[in-house]
Amino acid sequence: MFGIRIFSMLFGEIIAMALNSLGANKLRSALTMIGITIGVFSVISVMTAIGALQSSIESGISFLGSNIFQFAKYPANMNAGGNVKKKYENRRNITYRQALHYYKLMEGSAREICLKSFAYEVKGQAVYKGVKTTPSLLVVGANRSFLTANAYTLGYGRNINDEDVDLARSVIVVGKMIEKRLFPHETPIGKLIRMSGHTFTVIGVLTEKGTAFGQSQDDLCIMPITRFFEDFGEAKRTVNIATQAFSVETYNRTLDKAVGAMRIARGLRANQENDFEIYSNDSLKSAFISIAGVVRIGAFVISFIALVAAGIGIMNIMLVSVTERTKEIGVRKSIGARSRDILHQFLTEAVFISEAGGIVGIILGVIGGDLLAAWLKVDLIFPFEWAFAGLVVCSAIGIGFGLYPAYRAAALDPIEALRYE
């Protein structure tokens, strides 16, 4: 017990002396910390942002229902450029006739088959008794399977049915934001609204779904796909086809048959490649995870370079400190300080500089990453594993780059040190 108390006293004295030495050169110590702060900030901010996005991946990327795959002209992410983008733009549209052909070929082989087309170029705006929504509604033409295929739930009223599609009725199912804006004190069911120059009868209201990656999923209106084509045109539009298997066990079998049916509907010969995209929630998640992995590696490499540069800065500042305090080291040794005490003090100073910079970098990194997450309206997180790893790395950098200056200080001859001018 006595030995532990002595050790604690000595360790406390070493910490106090280290802090006093750093305090005597505040600006120099702060500038040395900045390198560590930048390195840790870069990796923590990226990991925080990616972690926040990944924690919301179920609600953000899972826009398709369960056991569902989708055929489309374009891939899920159309941010590619150059010849790659041109390849997709030059593809034939999936026409409504082809979609109906596919539908007939797959009848009885799938639980749900959703045919849907989007009017992204239309600035949808709904009007009721002079009250208007924002001019940014997503206008969708679909059949009765849209809700299941896109993980929406009907709040009240009714969904679009087959008869609505067959007769091209002017009926519409609206998202929660439209209901809140136009009908705050009454039911919208049965009411007539004007939407982008056309009149529709509201037959249903969806339950609130919230946002995904900063975009509201409740600013949409769904009408029969036939009415959609009559009001907004069909010639230049493509149809997306979402198909739901009966179960997880039949998913792959259903997908194989669906690909064959889609090739027949598109009129492809046996030697021709698929001229349509296939994706599902799992494929979208895999794509996100692979992209996140590349970003993580990039952030790690950048941070590693910054931390090595910061470590060199620590070594440099500690070597200068040894030179400046040579006489002080000689005095301490002459009155009984051991070489290992000097070594511990200088190592403590190096580790403290590194850890202080790391803590500031972690705090700023978490704030930066969570600000991005807040902007995207996803859950905020604290990356405990990366923060802990950052502190460990900072300690290692402090020890690794501070060891040589500390050894130089500990190895000084007290008599020669006292003579130093």
Side-chain angles (χ1 to χ4, degrees), residues 343-365:
L343 179 74
H344 290 161
Q345 180 185 347
F346 278 83
L347 270 181
T348 301
E349 291 179 23
V351 171
F352 183 83
I353 291 174
S354 184
E355 286 290 348
I359 290 171
V360 174
I362 289 170
I363 293 171
L364 294 178

Side-chain angles (χ1 to χ4, degrees), residues 199-367:
T199 302
F200 299 91
T201 301
V202 178
I203 59 172
V205 178
L206 303 175
T207 57
E208 192 166 358
K209 196 175 182 182
T211 60
F213 304 116
Q215 298 294 319
S216 172
Q217 299 181 85
D218 299 307
D219 278 339
L220 85 164
C221 47
I222 311 156
M223 64 187 69
I225 190 169
T226 46
R227 171 50 52 188
F228 173 85
F229 286 140
E230 285 192 20
D231 288 347
F232 300 100
E234 179 183 356
K236 296 183 179 180
R237 299 196 184 280
T238 186
V239 178
N240 291 353
I241 306 172
T243 306
Q244 183 181 46
F246 285 105
S247 65
V248 176
E249 291 73 24
T250 62
Y251 181 90
N252 290 331
R253 189 164 63 250
T254 304
L255 177 58
D256 290 340
K257 182 174 182 179
V259 171
M262 191 63 184
R263 288 180 60 84
I264 293 171
R266 296 281 277 172
L268 296 176
R269 296 189 297 271
N271 61 343
Q272 289 181 299
E273 294 182 357
N274 292 339
D275 61 348
F276 50 87
E277 295 297 309
I278 310 168
Y279 54 87
S280 64
N281 284 332
D282 290 339
S283 65
L284 295 175
K285 291 174 188 176
S286 298
F288 177 86
I289 290 170
S290 64
I291 292 171
V294 172
V295 174
R296 283 194 178 99
I297 293 171
F300 177 80
V301 171
I302 294 170
S303 301
F304 178 77
I305 294 171
L307 289 173
V308 168
I312 294 171
I314 289 175
M315 179 182 287
N316 179 62
I317 201 70
M318 294 309 297
L319 285 171
V320 171
S321 182
V322 170
T323 302
E324 291 177 344
R325 295 155 60 188
T326 298
K327 186 167 286 190
E328 172 198 325
I329 294 168
V331 171
R332 291 186 58 202
K333 279 196 168 186
S334 66
I335 60 176
R338 296 166 296 181
S339 294
R340 65 182 180 183
D341 295 330
I342 305 297
L343 179 74
H344 290 161
Q345 180 185 347
F346 278 83
L347 270 181
T348 301
E349 291 179 23
V351 171
F352 183 83
I353 291 174
S354 184
E355 286 290 348
I359 290 171
V360 174
I362 289 170
I363 293 171
L364 294 178
V366 170
I367 292 172

Side-chain angles (χ1 to χ4, degrees), residues 144-157:
R144 61 179 175 81
S145 299
F146 181 86
L147 304 191
T148 301
N150 293 272
Y152 279 95
T153 305
L154 186 68
Y156 60 94

Side-chain angles (χ1 to χ4, degrees), residues 90-103:
N90 290 337
R91 271 182 177 172
R92 295 179 297 155
N93 288 331
I94 299 174
T95 66
Y96 186 50
R97 179 176 291 183
Q98 291 171 353
L100 287 177
H101 190 184
Y102 170 87
Y103 191 102

